[in-house]
Amino acid sequence: VQFGDFKSYVAAGQGVIDGQSLYEPGVAALPTIGGTFKYAPFAGLLFTLLAWLPTEVLPVLVLGVNLFALLAVIWTGWRMLGYARDHGTFVATVGVGALSLGLQPVMWNMNWGNINLVLMAIVVLDLARPDGARFKGVGIGLAAAVKLVPGIFIVYLLLTRRFRAAIVSVVTFAGT
């Protein structure tokens, strides 16, 4: 496991704490392609939490959080399909999760310590909330504030006529 992306998250968090430039080529000194930060400013603020943690804890944390996020998405998918919260669904979740670890996108996210599995979990858990839920859309807005790609789900909310959730997403994104 190389944790290349995760190392850049920790370095970005430390850079924010130290008041360093994250985006200026030639000035920013992050362990990424080009040495600059590739995420939105809100992500840099979130990553400051990582800079405070002991270095020895970080590898276990990143693998554990990514594995939990993967299993949460699978479990939520079963629940969205109408399966009950029972032993069979749990076993199916663990089984599909184990099989998923061998898939290239999951394997690479685990290997590099990328945040994509966590963002996917945030988006899926948000979409799984009932349409009338007061804070539906907050997760999508937060995920888009970290990495812009999840913002496509704001378009999805609009196309599926979930205007309130889309507005909540946009407001959350803009606020962060």
Side-chain angles (χ1 to χ4, degrees):
V1 177
Q2 299 176 12
F3 294 128
D5 288 347
F6 190 73
K7 290 176 185 174
S8 71
Y9 303 154
V10 176
Q14 189 61 54
V16 170
I17 291 169
D18 295 341
Q20 297 174 349
S21 171
L22 299 180
Y23 300 101
E24 192 175 346
V27 175
L30 299 176
T32 62
I33 298 170
T36 60
F37 195 48
K38 309 296 187 237
Y39 293 87
F42 180 70
L45 292 174
L46 283 180
F47 295 151
T48 59
L49 301 172
L50 299 174
W52 295 106
L53 295 174
T55 311
E56 303 80 29
V57 174
L58 294 177
V60 174
L61 177 73
V62 69
L63 287 174
V65 168
N66 274 331
L67 183 59
F68 180 79
L70 176 66
L71 294 174
V73 166
I74 296 167
W75 174 265
T76 303
W78 293 128
R79 296 291 299 138
M80 290 172 78
L81 290 171
Y83 289 92
R85 295 180 185 180
D86 60 14
H87 182 70
T89 304
F90 176 77
V91 171
T93 298
V94 172
V96 171
L99 291 173
S100 298
L101 291 174
L103 300 174
Q104 187 263 355
V106 175
M107 192 183 326
W108 278 27
N109 275 278
M110 296 294 265
N111 184 44
W112 291 99
N114 202 296
I115 197 167
N116 292 331
L117 292 172
V118 173
L119 295 177
M120 177 178 66
I122 292 169
V123 169
V124 168
L125 292 170
D126 195 19
L127 290 173
R129 294 176 55 100
D131 283 334
R134 184 176 184 177
F135 295 108
K136 183 171 183 146
V138 169
I140 291 170
L142 287 174
V146 172
K147 191 172 187 175
L148 297 176
V149 174
I152 192 71
F153 289 96
I154 297 171
V155 176
Y156 167 76
L157 290 172
L158 290 170
L159 291 174
T160 57
R161 304 174 103 33
R162 297 174 186 157
F163 300 117
R164 185 173 190 275
I167 291 168
V168 170
S169 294
V170 170
V171 168
T172 302
F173 173 74
T176 52

